[in-house]
Every structure is written in structure tokens, then in C-alpha cells.
Amino acid sequence: IPVSAPSHYEAVSAGDFAAAEAQAKSYWHAKLSQGTTYDIPEARVSNAWKAWLAYSLLNIHRINGFDEPHDGSGFYQLMYGISAALYCSELDRYGLHDQAKLCLDTAIHYQNSDGLYTINSGLPDQGAFLSALAEHYWLTGDKAWLRSVAQPMVKAGDWIIHQRAISPKTGVAAGLIKFKPYCDFPGPTCNYYGDTYCCMGLERAAKALRVLGMNDDAARFETDAAEYREAILKSMDAATFVHDGVK
């Protein structure tokens, strides 16, 4: 655990250290026994996924009342939109639905009024955000929660649809969104990585909205997602080149 200054160190007795160590062990044993359990005979594999989970939970920082999943502690000390959204889905797969919900609340908090969700990254954030919202429902069956996030979901999907409406109509990038792809390439461009995430996000959101009977919104998402998928595949075909006889 990073310590910012030597003044934060304090000498403790052997007894106090042992008590604190026992308390920490008890906390983590209890924490890692929650959610989904796996009976894995290979100890190294079993310990590895528990270690990853423990380290990742240490990277959740509560800031201004919101749980922010950061990429690291002491390094990469930021929240990245796509990483945070994917992490929410991983928490759900681990059965830690309450923590996933808290992190999804954070993502919704940072969503712009126009529906855009991007934090220190780029276009993939938007699609991963939509997917994480939909997947939380599919893995929990919490219909009341799904209804509570329906409007942020619709706004996020409409942002994608609007961006496609103003996208190029001809050329190799026809139908693709021109936006910054990720943090290390901040200039707007078309990228299959981001477009694929956004297309998948629309598809998954449409399915979730059908559950709520929001059929008009679902139909819009389904129609645009089908056209979006076709545009991506056409662009990939058009962008294919041959080098030394190999495509």
C-alpha cells in the first residue's frame, strides 16, 4: 500500500502488528469468499484469480462518494472509461453484484448530458458502458435496477446513433464514427476497436430495453446496430490489402 510520506509511518508493538495482521487476513478471507466460487484443483490457478480480485479491489478508490475503479494504485492513478466499464462486467461475473452496481453508478455519474461517456480514453468507452449496463441486468435479473438506468442507457445509445448520422457517407470509413480512439491517440479518427464496441453496445442495450417494454427505443437501436455492423464489415473488406500474395 503506497505511503506518501515518512511521517505517516508509526512504530507498533509486535502484539499490535499481529492483531492488525490477523484482522487484515480475516477481512480478505471473508471478502474473497463472497460471490461466485470456483472449485479448482490446481492451487496456483485458484490462488491467482483470488489474488487478481484482491489487487483489483484495492484499486477502487472512493472519491466524492463514488467508487472509482482505477487502473492502478501509485501508478496509472486514473479512472479510464473502458477499463472501468469492463471491470464492472468482471465484478458481475465474479458474483460481486453490489460492488458492480456501485461502480456502474459512478459511470452514470460521469456520463455527459448528451449521453457521451468517456473518461481519459475514447470511443470504446461508450460501447463498453452500454454493454456493462445490459450485462449487469442479465447476470442479476434485477428488473427494477434496469428500469432505473434505462434513460442513461437510451441517451448513450442515441449519442452513438447521432454520431453515425454525421459520419462519412462514402469512402472506406462510411458509416463509422470519427472520434478519439483512446488516451494515447487523442485526435479524432475512425477505428474498428471503438466502432465494434459501440455496435455491440447498441445490440445489447436493445435486448435489455425489450425486457422493459421500451420497444420503440429498442427497435431504433436494433436497426442502427444492424446497419452499423454491416458498415464495419464493409469497411474491413474495403481496407483489406494484399502483401506478398497474402491478404
Side-chain angles (χ1 to χ4, degrees), residues 99-122:
Q99 184 61 69
K101 180 178 177 296
L102 289 173
C103 292
L104 287 170
D105 288 344
T106 301
I108 292 171
H109 170 71
Y110 285 121
Q111 184 183 23
N112 294 347
S113 59
D114 64 354
L116 173 63
Y117 163 81
T118 183
I119 305 172
N120 298 313
S121 190

Side-chain angles (χ1 to χ4, degrees), residues 182-198:
Y182 59 99
C183 55
D184 294 331
F185 195 106
T189 188
C190 294
N191 71 103
Y192 297 131
Y193 173 51
D195 283 299
T196 300
Y197 262 112
C198 286

Side-chain angles (χ1 to χ4, degrees), residues 64-107:
N64 297 324
F66 291 94
D67 281 16
E68 294 189 0
H70 289 200
D71 270 28
S73 295
F75 63 96
Y76 280 112
Q77 191 77 302
L78 291 172
M79 178 177 170
Y80 293 84
I82 184 170
S83 299
L86 294 178
Y87 183 58
C88 291
S89 294
E90 287 305 311
L91 287 172
D92 274 326
R93 294 185 187 106
Y94 277 112
L96 300 178
H97 304 305
D98 289 342
Q99 184 61 69
K101 180 178 177 296
L102 289 173
C103 292
L104 287 170
D105 288 344
T106 301

Side-chain angles (χ1 to χ4, degrees), residues 111-117 126 154-156 158-160 163:
Q111 184 183 23
N112 294 347
S113 59
D114 64 354
L116 173 63
Y117 163 81
Q126 190 79 358
V154 169
K155 287 169 62 177
D158 281 339
W159 183 90
I160 294 173
Q163 293 302 311

